[in-house]
Amino acid sequence: MNISLESFKSYILLRRDAFENKYGLKTVPQKELLLDRRHYPNNLRYLDATSQILIRTLNNHPVPLRDKLLTVFVYRMVGDKMVVRRYANKKGVYTLKELERLATYLDNDSVKLKNRYATPLVKTGITGLKKGEFLLASSCDFLDKLPPDNFYKWKTSEIARQFVEFENVYGISYAMASQFASDISYINELEVKVDFIRVVPEKAREMYCMIMNTTFRVEKYEEFTREMMSWYIKQDFLDNKERLIVPQDITQMLLGYRY
């Protein structure tokens, strides 16, 4: 496989075509539908099914902000959206009551989660905790360490750093922290500013280094992100929502390309 900047851009355009074909915006030649059949992530993170569920759930019901934040945390930690939705309350959100019910279910050794990405729950064996116990421990630590303003008007970069540098929430890695920051930005009432997140997952770093034939420096990666965003919005799209790109989406694309 030719791994280069041009092949990376070609992947992005093929993923665009697969998305537009899936939603009836265009007809794509059969040979190019591989990206659709293999369930590669969408170019834009907010277009993924889990993100769409969160956007609707977090903004359509008048529930306490703390419950919305816990809901975000549970979705990202567990990863299997079908399981998470099954144990949420009627408004689709989580309180401690629903969290305990989900944890009890996850503690069953026969439970197999269907995830498209690795979550901390997959690595619980090294802690001696079962999945449900691990989820309870990390969720409670997360709630205990929430800032007094619940991230109101924070930047996504500040939220990511808060998880792993200032409060060090139990079980959360740099890669997962960047995902949480983006998820929290979906809560409209928080007015989170989406900016470049310097916390870059290791697999995305590796892919960037292979594409650009260089070593990783976050300053160069930020420059690469800006250039890719500028290139992306100049492409042709059949739906304007495909243009709503944010810096984190470039990392999303690198991870998809790696798959």
Side-chain angles (χ1 to χ4, degrees):
M1 177 181 177
N2 175 31
I3 298 177
S4 65
L5 181 59
E6 289 308 309
S7 65
F8 176 47
K9 289 180 177 179
S10 294
Y11 157 78
I12 293 170
L13 295 179
L14 286 172
R15 193 66 198 86
R16 173 204 61 187
D17 292 344
F19 175 85
E20 293 178 346
N21 180 80
K22 180 177 180 180
Y23 291 97
L25 298 172
K26 69 190 301 183
T27 300
V28 180
Q30 189 67 27
K31 65 179 181 179
E32 295 181 9
L33 287 180
L34 173 63
L35 294 181
D36 195 29
R37 293 198 304 270
R38 290 283 298 277
H39 300 294
Y40 285 72
N42 291 314
N43 283 329
L44 306 189
R45 189 175 178 279
Y46 91 99
L47 293 176
D48 285 345
T50 298
S51 293
Q52 286 296 306
I53 291 171
L54 283 174
I55 290 168
R56 292 192 299 271
T57 301
L58 301 174
N59 299 300
N60 289 349
H61 301 289
V63 298
L65 186 53
R66 186 180 178 89
D67 294 348
K68 292 184 179 182
L69 289 166
L70 176 59
T71 301
V72 166
F73 194 84
V74 171
Y75 264 98
R76 185 54 56 184
M77 285 291 288
V78 177
D80 188 327
K81 61 181 180 292
M82 299 302 293
V83 169
V84 177
R85 293 181 76 178
R86 185 188 313 155
Y87 286 89
N89 63 25
K90 292 182 178 179
K91 294 183 177 179
V93 301
Y94 272 79
T95 67
L96 291 179
K97 178 181 178 180
E98 288 76 34
L99 177 65
E100 290 175 355
R101 289 179 59 237
L102 174 60
T104 298
Y105 168 77
L106 293 175
D107 277 343
N108 189 326
D109 292 335
S110 65
V111 170
K112 302 295 183 183
L113 298 175
K114 296 180 180 179
N115 298 341
R116 293 185 185 176
Y117 60 89
T119 73
L121 266 68
V122 176
K123 303 177 181 179
T124 53
I126 62 174
T127 68
L129 298 176
K130 293 185 176 181
K131 290 183 175 63
E133 294 173 335
F134 187 93
L135 178 63
L136 280 175
S138 58
S139 296
C140 289
D141 195 40
F142 165 68
L143 292 175
D144 287 344
K145 292 175 178 177
L146 281 175
D149 61 1
N150 292 313
F151 303 116
Y152 179 63
K153 289 191 174 181
W154 283 40
K155 298 177 181 178
T156 49
S157 59
E158 295 170 337
I159 295 173
R161 293 185 66 198
Q162 180 76 3
F163 275 105
V164 293
E165 293 185 15
F166 302 116
E167 291 294 352
N168 192 24
V169 175
Y170 177 66
I172 304 305
S173 65
Y174 272 79
M176 192 58 68
S178 66
Q179 299 290 341
F180 277 129
S182 296
D183 290 338
I184 289 172
S185 73
Y186 296 148
I187 304 176
N188 291 341
E189 65 191 278
L190 286 181
E191 299 181 30
V192 171
K193 180 181 178 181
V194 178
D195 66 342
F196 176 75
I197 299 177
R198 297 174 67 88
V199 177
V200 183
E202 185 62 31
K203 290 183 178 179
R205 291 188 181 204
E206 292 174 357
M207 204 70 250
Y208 159 77
C209 292
M210 293 175 68
I211 288 170
M212 301 303 291
N213 191 27
T214 187
T215 55
F216 185 85
R217 288 178 50 207
V218 71
E219 294 80 11
K220 286 293 185 181
Y221 184 75
E222 182 172 6
E223 181 181 336
F224 168 80
T225 296
R226 303 297 178 192
E227 290 174 353
M228 285 299 302
M229 290 175 67
S230 178
W231 168 83
Y232 178 83
I233 61 175
K234 293 175 183 176
Q235 306 311 304
D236 295 326
F237 300 100
L238 296 178
D239 192 314
N240 282 332
K241 65 174 173 281
E242 295 181 85
R243 297 183 183 277
L244 301 178
I245 190 171
V246 297
Q248 181 70 0
D249 289 326
I250 302 303
T251 297
Q252 167 94 347
M253 294 172 185
L254 284 169
L255 293 173
Y257 184 53
R258 183 185 178 97
Y259 297 154

